[in-house]
Amino acid sequence: MSIAAVIYLGCWALFAWVGDSWLQLLVAAAMAVVFAQLGFLAHDLGHRQVFRKRRPSDVAGLLIGNFGIGLGWGWWTSKHNRHHANPNHEDHDPDVSPAVIVWSEDQVAKSRGIPRFIAKRQAWWFFPLLTLEAWHLHVASVKALLKPGAKRRTTELSLIVVHFVLYFGLVFTVLPLGKALVFLVVHQGLFGIYLGLSFAPNHKGMPVLTKEDKLDFLRKQVLTSRNVKGSWLTDVALGQLNYQIEHHLFPNMPAPNLRRAQPIVQAYCAEIGVDYLQTGLVASYGQALRHLHEVGASLR
């Protein structure tokens, strides 16, 4: 967390130093990586992996999520916990709701408007749509916090407002209008792509559950999740979410310990006859895209 904070501040210092230059697009790309890494930390804080007590987790989560990157940490944590309770479940997992992309043939049959139009070629649309993911999360955060009864509504909204006042203020002060707009498009677009590339390997292309499926906790978590093999660089790049199976079985286990749990879980799954999927990063994208393409086959 300390390293991430230093690099975050260093990026803004570099932005101010570079000034009015198209080299700022390289700074925008670097910031997209840093913002995503802060998102991984906010994710871990939401699972209570970092601190023993709730209050420091909440304070750090709000500072990193709302103030640091402009995302509603409390809203996202609540949504993410619903995903963990029922991963890849059509009726209960908000991550497979057919908002734009559809994830099953049943959702295709019920789709209308934009989701139906996109579903026809959604494997081709998937990565381009990720350029809008960061903006989607910003807007969804604010919409959720504007609803009556939202938890910590004033605090969370205030921190997001402060983030964007400083963010837009710095960008439009240092850069002329045209370069500022391009900077925003590149930064937020790459931020969204990075987040999408980090989350897509975890569950996309894995079985989608319905109310007809009656699975115990272990099978529900393992059969809907996919691990990604790789080196320490993979661990860093994906925020250690490449150990998705272990993370879903033990969500409050500190992320650095997931790699130690992995061989134990894999051996146990083999012992009890539960399929345990672990693949390379590129192969995981291929599986996800093939699933999306197959789901939309009835519309082609």
Side-chain angles (χ1 to χ4, degrees):
M1 289 172 68
S2 300
I3 292 170
V6 169
I7 295 175
Y8 177 83
L9 293 174
C11 280
W12 282 115
L14 179 63
F15 175 82
W17 180 74
V18 171
D20 181 3
S21 168
W22 286 111
L23 290 175
Q24 291 286 19
L25 299 187
L26 296 177
V27 179
M31 279 194 180
V33 175
V34 175
F35 270 48
Q37 288 291 326
L38 289 174
F40 297 149
L41 287 173
H43 164 271
D44 295 349
L45 286 160
H47 282 296
R48 313 298 178 189
Q49 295 178 13
V50 182
F51 298 104
R52 291 182 182 276
K53 296 184 178 180
R54 178 177 294 272
R55 181 169 178 76
S57 296
D58 290 344
V59 171
L62 291 170
L63 287 176
I64 291 175
N66 295 61
F67 178 71
I69 59 178
L71 299 181
W73 179 75
W75 159 77
W76 187 86
T77 297
S78 175
K79 169 180 170 291
H80 187 62
N81 286 339
R82 297 199 304 275
H83 155 71
H84 266 264
N86 291 283
N88 265 25
H89 194 293
E90 276 191 353
D91 301 319
H92 304 301
D93 183 356
D95 289 353
V96 292
S97 62
V100 177
I101 298 290
V102 292
W103 306 101
S104 70
E105 293 180 1
D106 286 345
Q107 289 182 347
V108 168
K110 298 174 183 176
S111 64
R112 298 289 183 272
I114 291 178
R116 190 171 184 84
F117 170 77
I118 289 176
K120 188 175 181 179
R121 305 286 180 188
Q122 60 183 1
W124 298 97
W125 280 101
F126 183 69
F127 290 118
L129 284 171
L130 290 180
T131 60
L132 302 174
E133 178 62 14
W135 292 113
H136 161 70
L137 290 173
H138 294 311
V139 172
S141 297
V142 173
K143 287 175 65 177
L145 289 169
L146 289 176
K147 293 180 179 178
K151 190 176 180 181
R152 290 189 298 258
R153 181 181 183 182
T154 302
T155 301
E156 292 218 32
L157 276 175
S158 298
L159 288 171
I160 290 177
V161 169
V162 171
H163 166 83
F164 278 108
V165 167
L166 293 175
Y167 178 74
F168 290 129
L170 282 168
V171 171
F172 285 101
T173 297
V174 172
L175 297 176
L177 180 61
K179 286 178 183 173
L181 293 175
V182 174
F183 178 91
L184 294 175
V185 169
V186 172
H187 175 224
Q188 294 294 332
L190 291 178
F191 178 28
I193 290 173
Y194 189 177
L195 288 178
L197 291 178
S198 303
F199 294 135
N202 301 339
H203 303 282
K204 306 316 179 210
M206 300 302 290
V208 177
L209 306 180
T210 68
K211 59 185 178 183
E212 306 301 326
D213 297 294
K214 308 297 180 183
L215 299 177
D216 59 48
F217 174 79
L218 183 142
R219 286 168 176 80
K220 180 167 62 173
Q221 303 298 338
V222 174
L223 296 178
T224 60
S225 302
R226 178 197 295 110
N227 275 16
V228 175
K229 295 181 290 187
S231 64
W232 65 269
L233 183 59
T234 307
D235 292 0
V236 172
L238 299 182
Q240 299 172 104
L241 294 174
N242 46 313
Y243 303 104
Q244 190 68 195
I245 293 173
E246 289 69 35
H247 172 57
H248 262 257
L249 290 172
F250 310 104
N252 64 344
M253 178 182 287
N257 289 333
L258 294 173
R259 63 183 179 86
R260 298 184 174 93
Q262 189 274 324
I264 301 172
V265 173
Q266 186 176 19
Y268 181 70
C269 287
E271 179 183 331
I272 64 174
V274 173
D275 289 340
Y276 180 105
L277 181 58
Q278 187 168 227
T279 186
L281 183 60
V282 175
S284 73
Y285 295 138
Q287 292 170 9
L289 293 175
R290 280 194 296 273
H291 171 75
L292 292 176
H293 192 63
E294 291 166 1
V295 164
S298 62
L299 299 178
R300 291 193 295 276

